[in-house]
Amino acid sequence: MALAASQEKSGMNHPYEQLDECAFWAPAVAKKHMLDISELWAPRFRIDSRMKVVTFGSCFAQHIGRALRERGFDWFIPEVTPTALNPDSAARFNYGVFSARTANIYTASLLKQWMQWSLGLQAVPDEVWEKDGRYYDPFRPNIEPQGFESAAEMQASRDMTLQAFKRCILESDVFVFTMGLTESWFNKEHGYEYPMCPGTVAGEFDPARHSFRNQKFWDILGSMKEVIAGMRALNPKLKFLLTVSPVPLTATMSGQHVLVATMESKSILRTVAAALRDGHGGFVDYFPSYEVINAPPFRGAFFEPNLRSVNHTGVAHVMDLFFHALVQKFGRSVLPPAQTPTSRAGNTSDAERAEVVCEEELLQAFSPRGASQGAT
């Protein structure tokens, strides 16, 4: 009776009458060209060129960092490239890929692990992988493609990365994290996590020491909550922008078909992102890059022929939506006046922008038809 009285007083028959056009499928999606679908993201907080932004996560996070740099934003990279390295060598040795040389951080629990190590909350394991006289970091197995000269050099390199990662926590304004996987590998005895299954990129797999875990919703949500609380305890101004990688799994250990495993994994990550955004006031937001690439209205047009890699058009469209949404919400002051000198000079090629470093893609080599299918 109270609701009816309220509706009669307002002249409203039902609440759908008050919704904007973007709430209805036909005018917002079906009757538009896919490139004209807009208003997909209403930013929760300002991101502008005066703010330090750091990027970590799965492969797709690399596109966000580069787009920030090209638009003149302060993509904060405290682990700087040695001056002796040319751009090709710097990319080969994973400088400037993320804000620190962590390599891909595929899972929320790996992110928590990096946070705990960098802040001294957990001891860094002393495990080292050795092959043919070269030494590999179990937690960044491809960071030096030919391995380190010694275990001491490897550990010193990792210490530099941990210091840089700590600076990212303490000094940045926005922490962008792209969640990529639920599937993960752990050390049974000590409980720490590897970014890749031992024995794939480097190291040796031992079923007595290594275990597979397909993390569930509550595992991932718990890890992310610890990360957000832990980082903000030291840097209360820090805000988090979450995304979910639209890139399908290269391979699965779940026992399911890889397509089914992909949909399950991405659905869980997307649900976690929503729960974090809804549960953390104004300092956690979600940007829908996953939806832009994967939703049915886009008809898979943003994937390369392998149906896995995101093409340059897709990346550009996602980033255009990202910056356009910031302009709509906060005005043109959030955009830089011009492109960076680097991109104006043509030093950032389309190929560079499209190329990302994904250790997970190396799993393709272990499929029954292996390298004949090409890395994805």
Side-chain angles (χ1 to χ4, degrees):
M1 293 293 291
L3 177 60
S6 174
Q7 290 176 337
E8 184 177 352
K9 184 177 180 181
S10 66
M12 182 178 69
N13 294 318
H14 53 75
Y16 285 90
E17 290 181 343
Q18 306 299 313
L19 296 179
D20 292 334
E21 182 180 285
C22 68
F24 295 90
W25 185 265
V29 178
K31 294 183 179 179
K32 288 189 174 182
H33 185 280
M34 68 178 189
L35 297 181
D36 293 327
I37 297 172
S38 60
E39 300 180 63
L40 295 173
W41 180 48
R44 223 175 193 180
F45 45 78
R46 175 187 291 269
I47 304 175
D48 64 37
S49 57
R50 298 162 299 181
M51 304 168 73
K52 289 183 177 179
V53 183
V54 296
T55 58
F56 291 98
S58 189
C59 313
F60 198 77
Q62 298 166 38
H63 296 302
I64 299 175
R66 291 173 184 172
L68 289 168
R69 179 185 62 193
E70 291 170 2
R71 307 276 181 136
F73 280 61
D74 187 356
W75 182 27
F76 183 43
I77 305 179
E79 189 166 10
V80 298
T81 304
T83 54
L85 286 182
N86 60 41
D88 288 341
S89 295
R92 182 165 174 257
F93 288 93
N94 294 276
Y95 285 96
V97 176
F98 298 103
S99 291
R101 286 177 82 207
T102 57
N104 293 115
I105 301 177
Y106 291 109
T107 65
S109 45
L110 274 172
L111 179 63
K112 184 178 75 172
Q113 191 165 270
W114 276 103
M115 179 193 74
Q116 292 173 329
W117 292 349
S118 69
L119 299 179
L121 302 176
Q122 293 282 343
V124 181
D126 56 7
E127 182 174 344
V128 178
W129 290 344
E130 188 271 337
K131 180 181 180 182
D132 298 330
R134 304 293 292 181
Y135 296 83
Y136 295 83
D137 188 342
F139 311 105
R140 309 178 301 163
N142 200 41
I143 205 75
E144 294 270 336
Q146 302 304 316
F148 292 90
E149 286 282 346
S150 65
E153 183 186 65
M154 184 214 78
Q155 289 161 345
S157 170
R158 189 200 294 151
D159 287 344
M160 293 178 63
T161 297
L162 287 168
Q163 292 171 18
F165 191 84
K166 183 178 180 179
R167 287 190 60 192
C168 290
I169 297 172
L170 297 178
E171 299 178 33
S172 60
D173 299 290
V174 181
F175 195 105
V176 180
F177 183 62
T178 300
M179 297 188 285
L181 296 177
T182 60
E183 299 192 13
S184 48
W185 289 90
F186 285 81
N187 182 290
K188 286 183 179 179
E189 180 180 1
H190 301 291
Y192 52 76
E193 183 176 353
Y194 305 95
M196 294 288 294
C197 176
T200 53
V201 178
E204 295 182 3
F205 179 71
D206 181 351
R209 297 175 55 220
H210 304 131
S211 63
F212 171 76
R213 191 182 305 169
N214 197 4
Q215 299 187 45
K216 304 306 179 186
F217 172 85
W218 293 110
D219 302 320
I220 301 163
L221 183 65
S223 293
M224 286 304 302
K225 283 184 173 181
E226 286 190 54
V227 165
I228 293 169
M231 292 187 181
R232 280 180 58 87
L234 296 173
N235 180 3
K237 72 177 180 182
L238 185 61
K239 295 180 173 63
F240 292 83
L241 181 61
L242 305 176
T243 66
V244 171
S245 170
V247 180
L249 276 64
T250 299
T252 180
M253 278 293 297
S254 66
Q256 302 181 89
H257 189 289
V258 68
L259 187 148
V260 177
T262 293
M263 298 308 292
E264 178 178 318
S265 178
K266 302 296 179 180
S267 298
I268 290 173
L269 295 174
R270 179 62 184 89
T271 308
V272 169
L276 292 166
R277 182 188 184 281
D278 294 344
H280 284 85
F283 57 86
V284 178
D285 201 357
Y286 170 75
F287 175 69
S289 56
Y290 171 71
E291 286 84 343
V292 174
I293 301 299
N294 280 283
F298 299 102
R299 301 174 177 86
F302 296 142
F303 284 107
E304 296 284 3
N306 62 19
L307 299 180
R308 183 172 184 274
S309 304
V310 179
N311 60 34
H312 175 60
T313 301
V315 173
H317 185 59
V318 166
M319 297 318 306
D320 284 346
L321 290 173
F322 176 81
F323 290 107
H324 182 68
L326 289 174
V327 170
Q328 279 195 314
K329 182 71 176 287
F330 301 110
R332 297 203 64 82
S333 62
V334 302
L335 281 183
Q339 290 182 307
T340 64
T342 300
S343 55
R344 280 200 302 269
N347 293 331
T348 305
S349 66
D350 286 352
E352 181 196 345
R353 286 194 292 270
E355 188 175 346
V356 295
V357 180
C358 273
E359 291 161 341
E360 191 212 6
E361 292 181 352
L362 299 175
L363 294 176
Q364 179 62 45
F366 299 96
S367 73
R369 280 183 284 178
S372 64
Q373 295 178 323
T376 54

